[in-house]
């Protein structure tokens, strides 16, 4: 395979894992941003439609609103064909995006979102066997090969302006499988780019509950710790067809006990099982619950003395807006209390606040809430 050959050749040629600037901490500081999702990832758009999906005015808009960075999810299938050959159009769009970020005062995280050997939602879609990454040395070398090619294309961008997130939402059967892959990819990237800021998330969908098992490469201060948060799912994913809890059609309360006994009794047995599993009829959900959930992530960031980053959080568009706004405000309060950077999911898709087709806000009150908190300190 092309990727494996590329990795082997590069490792032979690479003799230095460090340079004279290895100890320097980058000025890659972030506070509030959004995901440019469903553009170079999770989208069937190609050609003109893809080229027009995100334009310069989108970056200018985010800058003017007070966002200071974006996360840009990218998928293997958009950047490489099945033979491992580059697909130039997507590469050109990525560099266009990073150039626009530089022009409009936005930092950027390039996030390798979905690869052919690992899809974060494979388990829920009944295709767990498709995830070979954690059991295949060839697949792991291919992942490193992709990042070598990305590094070759992006290494000219300042370490203060562009960061790499080398995999999104890992789903390894054992936490140590993910830790071992982190060490392997980290070593390979550091041989190429000793200084680049790397974003590393926790196992099992970047869960806040598994970050305590995460092993971070020691002595590297140019790392950002990442987790994702969509709890309680019965609120944030109300009506979402792709998740079991989305089948619940009763009333949701927030803050407080999320589901009343009456609404619980009216739910189908399959939905009752999910409600029971998550204690939606017994636990109080409020800002204190969010603080408690974040505890392990906050402690991990303190332990390693690293920036903490919530890379995905948001509420599905059909959810009652007043409930959504209450949750957003509580989340932002906790983010500000503990200096947690964040990118909403997302800018213009089904969790977003902008409508690209109408070229207008679809949820301006949400934007006002998002930019009401503490900005990035200059």
């Amino acid at each position: 395979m092309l990727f494996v050959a590329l990795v082997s050749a590069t490792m032979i040629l690479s003799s230095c894992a460090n340079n004279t600037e290895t100890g320097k901490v980058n000025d890659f500081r972030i506070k509030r941003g959004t995901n440019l999702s469903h553009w170079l990832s999770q989208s069937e758009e190609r050609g003109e439609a893809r080229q027009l999906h995100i334009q310069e005015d989108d970056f200018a808009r985010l800058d003017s609103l007070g966002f200071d960075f974006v996360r840009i999810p990218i998928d293997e299938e958009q950047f490489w064909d099945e033979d491992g050959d580059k697909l130039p159009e997507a590469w050109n769009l990525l560099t266009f995006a990073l150039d626009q970020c530089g022009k409009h005062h936005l930092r950027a995280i390039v996030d390798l979102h979905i690869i052919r050997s690992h899809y974060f939602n494979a388990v829920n879609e009944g295709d767990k066997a498709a995830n070979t990454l954690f059991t295949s040395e060839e697949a792991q070398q291919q992942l490193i090969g992709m990042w070598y090619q990305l590094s070759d294309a992006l290494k000219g961008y300042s370490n203060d302006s562009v960061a790499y997130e080398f995999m999104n939402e890992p789903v390894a059967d054992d936490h140590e499988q993910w830790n071992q892959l982190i060490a392997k990819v980290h070593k390979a990237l550091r041989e190429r780019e000793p200084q680049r800021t790397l974003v590393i998330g926790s196992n099992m969908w970047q869960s806040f509950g598994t970050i305590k098992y995460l092993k971070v490469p020691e002595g590297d201060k140019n790392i950002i710790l990442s987790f994702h948060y969509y709890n309680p799912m019965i609120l944030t994913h109300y009506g979402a067809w792709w998740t079991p809890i989305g089948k619940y059609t009763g009333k949701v309360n927030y803050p407080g006990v999320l589901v009343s006994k009456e609404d619980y009794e009216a739910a189908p047995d399959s939905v009752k099982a999910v409600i029971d599993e998550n204690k939606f009829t017994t636990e109080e959900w409020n800002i204190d619950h969010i603080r408690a959930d974040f505890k392990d992530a906050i402690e991990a960031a303190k332990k390693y003395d690293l920036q903490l980053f919530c890379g995905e959080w948001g509420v599905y568009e059909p959810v009652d807006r007043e409930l959504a706004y209450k949750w957003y405000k509580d989340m932002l309060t906790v983010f500000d209390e503990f200096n947690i950077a964040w990118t909403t999911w997302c800018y213009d898709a089904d969790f977003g606040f902008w409508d690209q087709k109408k070229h207008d806000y679809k949820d301006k009150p949400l934007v006002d809430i998002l930019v009401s908190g503490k900005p990035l300190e200059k």
Side-chain angles (χ1 to χ4, degrees):
M1 292 291 289
L2 175 63
F3 286 146
V4 177
L6 175 64
V7 172
S8 300
T10 306
M11 284 185 169
I12 292 170
L13 292 172
S14 244
S15 59
C16 294
N18 297 298
N19 68 8
T20 56
E21 294 187 345
T22 302
K24 177 187 174 187
V25 178
N26 299 332
D27 191 34
F28 189 85
R29 296 177 300 111
I30 52 176
K31 185 65 175 75
R32 56 190 185 194
T34 191
N35 279 270
L36 299 182
S37 68
H38 298 84
W39 176 40
L40 300 177
S41 169
Q42 297 178 283
S43 172
E44 298 299 320
E45 288 183 339
R46 299 294 186 272
E48 184 179 15
R50 182 169 59 173
Q51 292 174 34
L52 295 176
H53 188 115
I54 296 291
Q55 293 287 293
E56 178 173 355
D57 65 332
D58 296 299
F59 298 94
R61 179 175 305 108
L62 291 171
D63 177 30
S64 67
L65 287 170
F67 292 94
D68 55 84
F69 76 116
V70 293
R71 182 174 181 249
I72 307 175
I74 67 172
D75 288 353
E76 178 185 356
E77 69 169 15
Q78 293 212 36
F79 282 73
W80 294 273
D81 65 20
E82 292 187 0
D83 294 323
D85 296 322
K86 282 183 171 184
L87 298 170
E89 184 182 275
W91 290 82
N92 292 336
L93 290 174
L94 178 58
T95 54
F96 161 78
L98 297 179
D99 290 343
Q100 292 304 316
C101 285
K103 182 177 179 179
H104 295 286
H105 317 103
L106 299 168
R107 291 184 171 96
I109 295 172
V110 178
D111 153 49
L112 190 51
H113 207 68
I114 300 173
I115 58 177
R116 290 186 172 97
S117 62
H118 184 275
Y119 172 40
F120 56 86
N121 208 35
V123 174
N124 293 328
E125 295 183 5
D127 194 21
K128 181 181 178 181
N131 280 354
T132 61
L133 179 65
F134 295 106
T135 56
S136 167
E137 179 64 24
E138 181 182 26
Q140 293 180 15
Q141 292 302 320
Q142 288 174 350
L143 172 63
I144 292 171
M146 283 185 269
W147 273 109
Y148 278 170
Q149 292 191 50
L150 284 163
S151 173
D152 286 343
L154 306 181
K155 62 186 177 184
Y157 290 98
S158 165
N159 292 323
D160 295 338
S161 63
V162 175
Y164 302 160
E165 183 171 354
F166 59 78
M167 209 174 94
N168 171 70
E169 294 196 352
V171 187
D173 289 337
D174 186 271
H175 300 310
E176 196 55 31
Q177 289 177 308
W178 174 229
N179 288 329
Q180 290 173 6
L181 184 57
I182 287 171
K184 189 178 294 186
V185 180
H186 175 268
K187 180 177 183 294
L189 276 172
R190 282 294 177 247
E191 289 173 344
R192 285 294 191 90
E193 298 194 53
Q195 278 297 115
R196 182 69 58 185
T197 295
L198 303 178
V199 177
I200 298 177
S202 47
N203 190 30
M204 302 306 288
W205 301 280
Q206 252 150 292
S207 168
F208 64 93
T210 60
I211 203 164
K212 60 189 174 185
Y213 304 111
L214 185 66
K215 293 181 180 176
V216 179
E218 294 182 8
D220 190 340
K221 294 304 180 183
N222 288 315
I223 288 176
I224 292 174
L225 296 185
S226 172
F227 71 103
H228 295 174
Y229 192 84
Y230 291 103
N231 286 5
M233 289 278 286
I234 199 168
L235 186 158
T236 65
H237 284 64
Y238 187 89
W241 55 268
W242 62 91
T243 141
I245 200 60
K247 295 181 174 63
Y248 175 71
T249 58
K251 183 180 179 183
V252 176
N253 306 294
Y254 183 89
V257 175
L258 297 164
V259 178
S260 70
K261 291 181 180 179
E262 292 76 16
D263 285 315
Y264 172 81
E265 293 299 334
D269 288 344
S270 59
V271 174
K272 283 181 180 176
V274 181
I275 292 173
D276 289 339
E277 180 183 353
N278 292 279
K279 302 179 181 178
F280 290 150
T281 59
T282 57
E283 287 190 350
E284 288 271 344
W285 276 85
N286 51 36
I287 192 170
D288 290 329
H289 199 303
I290 294 170
R291 286 192 187 98
D293 281 351
F294 284 12
K295 181 175 180 290
D296 286 345
I298 293 166
E299 289 184 354
K302 288 180 179 177
K303 172 184 175 181
Y304 292 107
D305 190 25
L306 298 173
Q307 168 81 66
L308 185 60
F309 165 51
C310 185
E312 292 185 20
W313 64 292
V315 179
Y316 189 41
E317 186 178 347
V319 175
D320 177 87
R321 290 292 88 187
E322 291 309 312
L323 281 181
Y325 298 155
K326 291 176 183 178
W327 181 82
Y328 275 111
K329 289 175 181 178
D330 283 350
M331 289 284 289
L332 288 164
T333 297
V334 180
F335 288 151
D336 283 349
E337 283 178 6
F338 296 98
N339 192 31
I340 301 170
W342 51 263
T343 43
T344 63
W345 191 268
C346 49
Y347 175 56
D348 72 317
D350 49 9
F351 281 64
F353 54 81
W354 180 257
D355 190 323
Q356 286 289 38
K357 292 182 179 179
K358 295 181 180 178
H359 206 69
D360 197 3
Y361 294 103
K362 61 181 176 183
D363 197 341
K364 187 59 167 63
L366 174 57
V367 178
D368 295 338
I369 291 169
L370 292 174
V371 299
S372 64
K374 294 179 183 178
L376 179 68
E377 293 182 6
K378 300 299 183 181

